[in-house]
Amino acid sequence: MLSIHNPATGEILAILPADDAASVAAKSRLARAAQTAWARVALQERLACVGRFRAGVVRELESLARTMTQETGKPITMSRNELNGLLARIDFFSAETAASIASETVFDDATTQEQIEHVPLGLIANISAWNYPWFVGSNVLIPALLTGNAVLYKPSEFAALTGLAMTRLWHEAGVPKDLLACLIGAADVGSALLDQDLDGVFFTGSHATGQRIAQTLAPRLVKLQLELGGKDPSYVCADADPQTAAAALADGAMYNTGQSCCSVERIYVHEAIHDSFVHAFVETVRSFKLGDPLQDSSYIGAITRAPQLAVLQAQVDDALAKGARLLTGGKRLSGPGNWFEPTVLIEVDHRMALMREESFGPIIGIQRVSDDAEALRLMNDTRYGLTAGVYTPDAARARALLAQIDAGSVYWNCCDRVSPRLPWSGVGDSGVGLTLSRYGIQTFTRPKAWHLRRV
Ligand code: NAD
């Protein structure tokens, strides 16, 4: 059994029957058998399923948003935003799949023809995080199903109700039940899933779990994609407008209560505008309303996983012990549920865990720098490499800086942004492989080479 708690109140929302090794193996066998027929279904028919799935999301949007908010603590307006954002991703995949997987003739003369065919991988695992369950679940499910794969989908144990709702909508849309199976449970169920005969594993979650999965799969040489955490920096140059940058970066750091893989996790500000930036930043953070995630007015919600409260407190305490100055927040709230005050620290540096380890919560350090070179060195001083941003009106300056950043995505005058048209990937400890964009469709296929000789 898996108990689902509301992190805002501590109440039990549901107790779900969980999978075990035997049920995972049975679902795996059925999915493997169903894949052959699905691969032969015309793309138009698979696209029609996606269209019906989309209609289901639209029809049930409000109740899906409430379910996600209740089990993750995400403010309801942000749950609605995620579901509306999902529609754009569905539309992207629907429009781009045919061209992305069309067979190509790459050479053709009197005797020889060479072709590339994109064939499905086969049976894949989608092991998913809880923080954007519709996004990270769907970045795999939509293109994997459209390209002819079977999927064993393990939503996070902190977003299991959402995972079940998503699976139900796919089945109602016409995706065969055996082809897409939802596995309910925590790490033990994820582990049992890895024991199956898989052709690919697509994981979104923490670096520690990603590393464990890579070690488990290494002897079997299974295709593996890992979308992991980050310690994403932003740099505000001397010529930026401090108020505008502060408003944008406060949102980038605190949106979804700081529990986004691409949350702004550390900020560097040129000394010329440091004080006015910090003043505006703190004003903005103080304006964020913390409260019941089901209320439209709430901007800061609950911390989804209770153990993260201790991680946040330890980062704050470590920073303070090493000389940081606390401007607002700084501690968890007493009472029921998992709550941490939005927290801003200045006079921070890279000796502090706050500036090195993923925080994944509503806390942020702002460090003063004296020039672009120092900012660049600090931004690249990390094991991670998911996103990084620069705020300046000077396009050439931004391009020159961003060209030297080791990250999967770089931002000029924006942050905490994902586009279905662009590949989503990390370097270093932020992962391997990618989702989204045309590459994120092809990644669910294997390019098969055809050498054809006319006799
Ligand atoms: P997590 O690693 O704790 O769990 C992720 C999934 O792995 C869950 O479904 C979990 O049950 C499963 N799991 C745990 N142990 C397992 C094992 N031994 N074998 C197989 N599966 C196992 O991560 P989380 O707390 O759900 O997510 C937060 C993390 O995800 C953060 O680090 C965040 O940055 C990252 N994230 C990254 C992206 C991205 O696109 N790069 C997107 C969202 C979240």
Side-chain angles (χ1 to χ4, degrees), residues 127-132 136 154-158 185-191 194 203-207 209-210 212-213 227-230 260-261 305 358 360 386 424 430:
I127 304 178
S128 198
W130 46 264
N131 61 332
Y132 284 91
V136 296
K154 201 202 89 55
S156 165
E157 59 274 34
F158 298 98
D188 55 328
V189 174
S191 222
L194 297 177
F203 171 78
T204 309
S206 64
H207 174 259
T209 309
R212 211 166 296 134
I213 290 175
E227 303 216 335
L228 310 176
S260 307
C261 53
R305 292 173 58 254
E358 189 178 47
F360 225 57
L386 194 58
W424 186 248
S430 291

Side-chain angles (χ1 to χ4, degrees), residues 282-363:
V282 171
E283 289 288 292
T284 308
V285 170
R286 289 204 175 117
S287 75
F288 291 151
K289 187 167 177 299
L290 175 150
D292 179 359
L294 284 170
Q295 295 296 319
D296 279 11
S297 56
S298 296
Y299 179 92
I300 300 285
I303 300 296
T304 308
R305 292 173 58 254
Q308 198 63 19
L309 294 166
V311 173
L312 297 173
Q313 194 67 63
Q315 288 195 358
V316 171
D317 294 347
D318 168 70
L320 291 173
K322 289 175 178 157
R325 193 144 69 86
L326 180 68
L327 297 185
T328 190
K331 59 181 189 318
R332 68 175 293 182
L333 298 183
S334 54
N338 312 328
W339 295 88
F340 204 94
E341 296 172 330
T343 297
V344 181
L345 291 141
I346 59 169
E347 283 152 40
V348 295
D349 62 47
H350 280 213
R351 291 170 306 137
M352 303 169 184
L354 174 71
M355 300 301 276
R356 306 195 70 85
E357 306 300 330
E358 189 178 47
S359 303
F360 225 57
I363 70 176

Side-chain angles (χ1 to χ4, degrees), residues 395-412:
R397 184 180 198 170
R399 279 195 177 270
L401 284 166
L402 294 173
Q404 298 172 76
I405 296 276
D406 300 323
S409 298
V410 291
Y411 301 125
W412 176 37

Side-chain angles (χ1 to χ4, degrees), residues 194-196 198 201 209-226:
L194 297 177
D195 289 339
Q196 307 311 310
L198 300 166
V201 173
T209 309
Q211 205 171 39
R212 211 166 296 134
I213 290 175
Q215 280 162 354
T216 304
L217 292 178
R220 283 155 52 200
L221 305 178
V222 175
K223 173 170 180 164
L224 175 62
Q225 285 201 179
L226 301 171

